[in-house]
């Protein structure tokens, strides 16, 4: 089998090119056997491009490049033709398409997609918030949250909190159990911000049994018994009816689908 060598060249970190190259390469070498992918990030000047093309020529390698500056893209194409190196411009055609469609000129500034702007810091803040106020650890977070999730154990409250946090929303979640009264702060939350997560008893029974087995415990514990689950769900409905919040059935929904339901309601 011929060794596949690909050089990924970028004026930024090169993640985009690397991921596309890997996605394509796995169609031929699923285990990356006899495959070498080298990344050359932060290309600053013409000399760097010249050296990389010469290296590709000597090693019989392909070049995939994501260069936002037109002059650097043109130079790369010209040098690859001169040295008979197969290359692919991953970014240029898309930039050209958008330029033609909008009539606007591209900024040609490398690394803008990774720029540490306000949006980035909002996401980090939201993720930290979700961790801090996960699983009802601190009820004070309920009044600071953009979204409050409530539900019995194993209704995907934590993964949903993290997913929404990546959408820049501050999320707190509270587990509901019949023996413990919900925190007073929960009843002070705007019902439009609060979402109850419910699941069918049968599905929850299966999930909890699998969880117990994964922990090396007996799957006939009270935690997974049908009567206990029904008791918890009845308690759940008493709480959500008192709050007056929306209820989402997550029985056959992926986290992303549940998140989209919440996002749609918030936008409305």
């Amino acid at each position: 089998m011929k060794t596949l060598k690909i050089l990924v060249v970028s004026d930024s970190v090169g993640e985009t090119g690397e991921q596309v190259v890997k996605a394509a390469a796995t169609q031929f070498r699923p285990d990356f056997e006899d495959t070498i992918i080298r990344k050359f990030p932060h290309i600053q000047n013409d000399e760097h491009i010249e050296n990389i093309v010469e290296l590709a020529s000597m090693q019989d390698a392909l070049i995939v490049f994501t260069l936002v500056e037109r002059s650097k893209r043109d130079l790369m194409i010209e040098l690859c033709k001169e040295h008979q190196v197969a290359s692919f411009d991953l970014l240029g055609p898309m930039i050209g398409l958008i330029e033609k469609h909008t009539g606007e000129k591209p900024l040609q500034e490398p690394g803008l997609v990774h720029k540490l702007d306000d949006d980035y810091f909002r996401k980090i803040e939201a993720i930290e918030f979700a961790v801090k106020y996960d699983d009802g650890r601190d009820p004070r977070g309920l009044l600071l949250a953009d979204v409050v999730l409530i539900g019995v154990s194993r209704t995907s409250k934590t993964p949903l909190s993290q997913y929404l946090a990546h959408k820049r929303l501050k999320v707190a979640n509270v587990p509901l159990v019949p023996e413990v009264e919900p925190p007073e702060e929960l009843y002070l939350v705007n019902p439009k911000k609060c979402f109850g997560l419910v699941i069918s008893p049968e599905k929850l029974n299966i999930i909890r049994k699998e969880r117990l087995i994964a922990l090396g415990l007996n799957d006939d514990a009270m935690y997974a018994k049908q009567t206990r689950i029904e008791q918890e769900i009845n308690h759940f409905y008493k709480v959500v009816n008192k709050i007056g919040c929306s209820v989402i059935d997550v029985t056959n929904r992926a986290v992303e689908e549940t998140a989209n339901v919440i996002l749609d309601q918030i936008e409305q």
Side-chain angles (χ1 to χ4, degrees), residues 5 30 50 63 67 167 179 213 215 243 268:
K5 299 178 182 178
E50 293 169 1
I63 290 180
L67 301 169
K167 301 295 182 181
E179 293 78 14
I213 292 172
L215 293 173
I243 297 171
Q268 292 171 10

Side-chain angles (χ1 to χ4, degrees), residues 34-76:
D34 292 320
T35 302
I36 300 172
I37 299 173
R38 292 186 61 189
K39 188 167 65 172
F40 293 83
H42 305 296
I43 296 304
Q44 300 292 327
N45 54 54
D46 295 352
E47 185 181 356
H48 289 162
I49 295 175
E50 293 169 1
N51 292 338
I52 291 169
V53 173
E54 288 181 8
L55 178 65
S57 178
M58 288 188 293
Q59 296 187 353
D60 188 26
L62 308 175
I63 290 180
V64 175
F65 58 96
T66 55
L67 301 169
V68 298
E69 291 186 48
R70 190 188 301 273
S71 61
K72 285 187 172 58
R73 294 201 305 271
D74 291 343
L75 177 62
M76 176 67 81

Side-chain angles (χ1 to χ4, degrees), residues 29-206:
R29 318 282 173 85
D31 300 321
F32 290 105
E33 183 181 357
D34 292 320
T35 302
I36 300 172
I37 299 173
R38 292 186 61 189
K39 188 167 65 172
F40 293 83
H42 305 296
I43 296 304
Q44 300 292 327
N45 54 54
D46 295 352
E47 185 181 356
H48 289 162
I49 295 175
E50 293 169 1
N51 292 338
I52 291 169
V53 173
E54 288 181 8
L55 178 65
S57 178
M58 288 188 293
Q59 296 187 353
D60 188 26
L62 308 175
I63 290 180
V64 175
F65 58 96
T66 55
L67 301 169
V68 298
E69 291 186 48
R70 190 188 301 273
S71 61
K72 285 187 172 58
R73 294 201 305 271
D74 291 343
L75 177 62
M76 176 67 81
I77 293 169
E78 180 184 340
L79 290 174
C80 284
K81 285 182 179 178
E82 183 181 321
H83 288 79
Q84 297 183 326
V85 172
S87 65
F88 187 77
D89 181 359
L90 193 61
L91 205 55
M94 177 60 72
I95 291 176
L97 179 65
I98 295 174
E99 180 180 1
K100 183 178 179 180
H101 182 73
T102 63
E104 301 171 13
K105 293 296 181 183
L107 297 174
Q108 299 190 64
E109 294 181 22
L112 289 179
V113 73
H114 297 286
K115 189 176 181 181
L116 298 184
D117 55 11
D118 290 341
D119 186 60
Y120 171 84
F121 289 111
R122 279 199 299 272
K123 182 167 82 168
I124 296 301
E125 185 180 2
I127 293 171
E128 291 175 345
F129 186 96
V131 172
K132 183 176 181 179
Y133 297 110
D134 181 47
D135 210 28
R137 289 175 186 164
D138 187 346
R140 293 173 297 180
L142 299 175
L143 300 177
L144 302 173
D146 299 317
V147 174
V148 174
L149 305 175
I150 58 175
V152 301
S153 174
R154 313 312 297 175
T155 49
S156 300
K157 296 184 297 299
T158 296
L160 182 56
S161 295
Q162 286 295 325
Y163 186 91
L164 290 171
H166 280 79
K167 301 295 182 181
R168 287 75 173 167
L169 291 173
K170 294 180 180 178
V171 185
N173 72 76
V174 178
L176 298 180
V177 291
E179 293 78 14
V180 181
E181 280 297 312
E184 295 180 4
E185 289 87 348
L186 183 59
Y187 297 109
L188 300 176
V189 173
N190 183 338
K192 293 181 180 179
K193 291 183 177 182
C194 189
F195 296 87
L197 307 179
V198 72
I199 188 171
S200 73
E202 296 77 18
K203 180 72 172 181
L204 187 55
N205 176 255
I206 294 171

